[in-house]
Amino acid sequence: MLNTGASGHKIRLENSTTISDMNHCLESTPGTYALVLALVEPTELQIGRLGSIRFDSPYYLYFGSAFGPGGLQARIKHHLRPLR
């Protein structure tokens, strides 16, 4: 579930959500956000300079700020892009 800033709208993102779908829902205003991440199974990921980290819990919260160009819309698009 995402809170999209000043409007207070909440959006549930599923695996089928596309970036073009997001343009209709998100504001480009600055703000803060929280992503609720749900894992189907334990996962090991490369996290920048932190290296390889194992995630066991089914739920994680990620809090971010979106005060740069593009605001909330740009930051959420960043999180939805495919892994490199």
Side-chain angles (χ1 to χ4, degrees):
M1 193 71 74
L2 266 202
N3 186 325
T4 64
S7 67
H9 292 80
K10 292 186 177 160
I11 303 164
R12 177 177 293 280
L13 302 178
E14 302 295 340
N15 290 342
S16 61
T17 300
T18 65
I19 290 174
S20 62
D21 293 336
M22 299 296 294
N23 289 333
H24 296 83
C25 304
L26 292 175
E27 300 169 2
S28 59
T29 57
T32 56
Y33 60 95
L35 297 178
V36 178
L37 307 169
L39 298 177
V40 176
E41 59 187 27
T43 304
E44 191 167 311
L45 298 172
Q46 292 292 320
I47 308 294
R49 293 181 181 168
L50 296 174
S52 181
I53 297 180
R54 182 173 171 83
F55 294 91
D56 293 317
S57 173
Y59 293 101
Y60 288 89
L61 289 174
Y62 174 86
F63 296 94
S65 60
F67 292 99
L72 290 166
Q73 189 176 71
R75 290 307 300 155
I76 300 303
K77 282 182 182 181
H78 168 79
H79 290 297
L80 291 177
R81 77 185 193 288
L83 294 175
R84 293 182 244 154

